[in-house]
Amino acid sequence: MDVPIADGVSAPLTGRCSFYVEKKKRYCKMIVGSGKSYCGEHANAGEKESENKRIPCPLDPKHTVFENLLAKHLKKCNSRVKPKPVFYVQDINAGPTIDDDTPKVEVPLADRSKAELDILITKLKTAVKGFKCKHEESIKSHAALHDALNDPKNGDTAFKHLKQQASLLGNMEDLQLLGPKRCFVEFGAGKGKLSHWIHVALKDYDDIHFLLVERSSTRFKVDGKHQNDNTKFERLQVDIQHLDLRKVPLLQEKGLPVVGVGKHLCGAATDLALQCLLGSSDAAARGGQDPPPSKRLKLQQLPGESTGAELPPSPSVAEETGGRQELAVGGVAIALCCHHRCDWRHYVGKEFFKDRGLGAPEFAAFLRMSSWATCGFSQAKRSSPPQGQTGETFEEEAHEATEESEPDLLKGAGRLTTLSGISVNWFRERSKW
């Protein structure tokens, strides 16, 4: 009888756990203790060799702990309730509480009649009349990512993200946002790759700092590789909804201007980030009403510098107004995504809607309609003509059928991206750009 090869699939690897993970169709790869066959997580699988029983952690049942060590574990478990940091302010960027006209139950588009959809389309066309719905495409690159973009070891997924990061840096350079003596705040940082490439682009400069905002704990972070005396990476594990940048010790101590960046922030997160940068620290006390905007700094190019502009420091504590320190914002560079993930409470363009007689019900419908800008139609998907019909005749009829079946709005589907466009317009008005 053949002995199974210890490859982790047919048999466990040498010195590794003997528990077979059904979901992954392989054996667990965790290292086991001396004389043990199972790792600590799967110790219950071998009751005879386990002196103590493992139970699910009451704070997070996704992991287990020895029953006799439960009290000790609860004091250091990563899922335990931690003290709120000084920069945590409940719902400071969330906007006002839900309005009375917010629909209790959202109605899917499939359940709406054609007459209702026609009315919604008419309302949207009227609202955006004269509004610049189509933004100019600006795909650029940056020398900092040249080697990575030409590295054959990077697969398609890595190459896609690298191109996006290179374009962000290229546009930031054109806008004179790259430079020393400033703090880059990356919203929705994840592993911190965008901040990593900004640091690479500015490696010859000193006094550059990074704040990486991420609400969840992330593995394989890259920011730990860049710590030095002149550059500081600091993670803020907090939801953007509750972040008050004016209370972050680094910004209070250094008094540096802020440049907000983000890659693939969903609609709601983008609105929260804009509120975080341009709102005020007394927003919560105001009940979510629009506060006076933060100070926007005009960038001025220094002689001999091509990578960015020299920004003056933020106002010092002595220059605080109204008992709070003013946040100096040098600029914002955010790659938008997921228009359908916008939320009426967080949305910064509510005044635009209300000025045109629209409200939360129309907003909820427009969110669902935003998918029309990218969806296809099955009537035009047929790859071959039916019998007795030439290819040319089939293509003409399919094209006509598609035009007749499309909602009128699809012929100008770019209007549906105005959910993000209105947010951008709100930002420009408040920052006076």
Side-chain angles (χ1 to χ4, degrees):
M1 184 176 179
D2 295 336
V3 178
I5 302 175
D7 56 0
V9 178
S10 302
L13 295 168
T14 304
R16 303 302 172 103
C17 181
S18 298
F19 181 84
Y20 188 77
V21 185
E22 189 65 34
K23 184 179 180 180
K24 298 183 178 180
K25 303 298 181 185
R26 62 166 175 79
Y27 286 89
C28 174
K29 296 182 179 180
M30 294 289 288
I31 298 175
V32 298
S34 178
K36 302 287 185 179
S37 299
Y38 296 91
C39 66
E41 192 67 22
H42 301 124
N44 286 346
E47 294 290 344
K48 293 182 180 180
E49 63 176 273
S50 178
E51 298 177 359
N52 299 308
K53 183 181 178 181
R54 291 188 72 88
I55 60 174
C57 174
L59 299 178
D60 182 6
K62 293 181 180 179
H63 65 274
T64 61
V65 60
F66 283 116
E67 189 173 21
N68 64 327
L69 299 178
L70 178 59
K72 182 179 179 181
H73 170 79
L74 293 178
K75 295 179 180 179
K76 60 180 181 180
C77 179
N78 289 331
S79 298
R80 71 189 186 280
V81 178
K82 304 179 181 69
K84 295 292 188 290
V86 66
F87 47 78
Y88 180 97
V89 180
Q90 182 74 29
D91 291 334
I92 185 172
N93 304 314
T97 54
I98 299 176
D99 296 337
D100 294 336
D101 62 342
T102 302
K104 303 299 181 183
V105 179
E106 292 187 12
V107 181
L109 295 180
D111 294 343
R112 296 179 183 269
S113 65
K114 185 178 183 302
E116 287 181 291
L117 292 177
D118 288 340
I119 292 174
L120 286 170
I121 290 171
T122 301
K123 285 184 175 180
L124 181 56
K125 283 185 172 181
T126 303
V128 300
K129 189 174 182 179
F131 188 78
K132 185 179 180 182
C133 299
K134 190 173 182 180
H135 298 282
E136 296 180 4
E137 191 175 74
S138 179
I139 301 176
K140 301 183 181 294
S141 190
H142 195 278
L145 289 93
H146 180 269
D147 292 341
L149 288 169
N150 292 280
D151 189 348
K153 295 180 181 179
N154 290 318
D156 293 340
T157 301
F159 184 67
K160 177 189 71 173
H161 289 294
L162 288 168
K163 285 200 303 182
Q164 294 169 348
Q165 289 155 349
S167 184
L168 271 170
L169 263 67
N171 280 282
M172 288 177 67
E173 187 171 43
D174 285 356
L175 295 170
Q176 299 182 359
L177 296 181
L178 292 180
K181 292 185 170 60
R182 64 198 68 182
C183 180
F184 294 92
V185 181
E186 183 178 357
F187 295 97
K191 298 177 182 178
K193 289 289 185 69
L194 181 57
S195 293
H196 160 76
W197 288 114
I198 294 176
H199 178 263
V200 172
L202 300 175
K203 61 183 179 181
D204 295 330
Y205 292 88
D206 297 331
D207 201 13
I208 304 170
H209 301 272
F210 296 87
L211 292 175
L212 283 69
V213 182
E214 177 60 54
R215 65 182 178 182
S216 60
S217 180
T218 307
R219 300 176 64 191
F220 309 116
K221 298 182 283 288
V222 300
D223 39 287
K225 303 176 182 178
H226 299 299
Q227 302 286 3
N228 58 55
D229 294 337
N230 296 317
T231 302
K232 182 176 179 60
F233 280 75
E234 182 179 340
R235 280 194 171 261
L236 308 180
Q237 190 172 342
V238 62
D239 194 306
I240 306 172
Q241 180 172 335
H242 313 301
L243 173 62
D244 187 355
L245 281 176
R246 296 162 189 81
K247 294 185 178 181
V248 175
L250 175 65
L251 295 179
Q252 290 183 333
E253 176 187 349
K254 297 289 185 179
L256 294 172
V258 167
V259 176
V261 298
K263 178 174 173 289
H264 288 179
L265 275 179
C266 74
T270 298
D271 289 321
L272 291 171
L274 293 178
Q275 288 280 14
C276 183
L277 291 167
L278 296 175
S280 76
S281 58
D282 59 349
R286 289 171 168 265
Q289 298 178 3
D290 282 343
S294 300
K295 182 178 180 181
R296 188 258 164 177
L297 297 177
K298 291 186 177 181
L299 306 180
Q300 296 180 351
Q301 184 72 29
L302 285 180
E305 281 195 6
S306 60
T307 57
E310 185 77 23
L311 300 179
S314 300
S316 64
V317 177
E319 296 172 323
E320 293 179 5
T321 58
R324 63 177 180 83
Q325 185 172 351
E326 190 176 9
L327 183 68
V329 180
V332 178
I334 295 177
L336 307 175
C337 79
C338 306
H339 306 147
H340 65 282
R341 294 295 302 275
C342 289
D343 184 274
W344 179 249
R345 181 185 180 187
H346 308 321
Y347 190 51
V348 299
K350 286 195 287 287
E351 290 303 317
F352 179 92
F353 271 67
K354 292 178 179 179
D355 290 345
R356 287 156 179 80
L358 304 175
E362 290 82 8
F363 179 83
F366 293 163
L367 290 184
R368 294 179 179 271
M369 292 163 63
S370 64
S371 62
W372 291 357
T374 55
C375 67
F377 291 89
S378 58
Q379 292 180 345
K381 296 288 186 180
R382 294 165 63 182
S383 58
S384 59
Q387 290 184 350
Q389 191 175 14
T390 64
E392 183 177 354
T393 305
F394 169 72
E395 290 180 1
E396 291 177 354
E397 292 184 2
H399 178 69
E400 292 172 358
T402 301
E403 286 191 333
E404 292 174 356
S405 64
E406 288 180 353
D408 185 41
L409 184 60
L410 281 175
K411 297 174 183 177
R415 294 188 183 94
L416 290 168
T417 63
T418 55
L419 293 174
S420 295
I422 294 169
S423 295
V424 173
N425 188 59
W426 175 91
F427 172 75
R428 287 173 176 167
E429 289 178 354
R430 292 182 64 78
S431 60
K432 308 303 180 185
W433 282 7

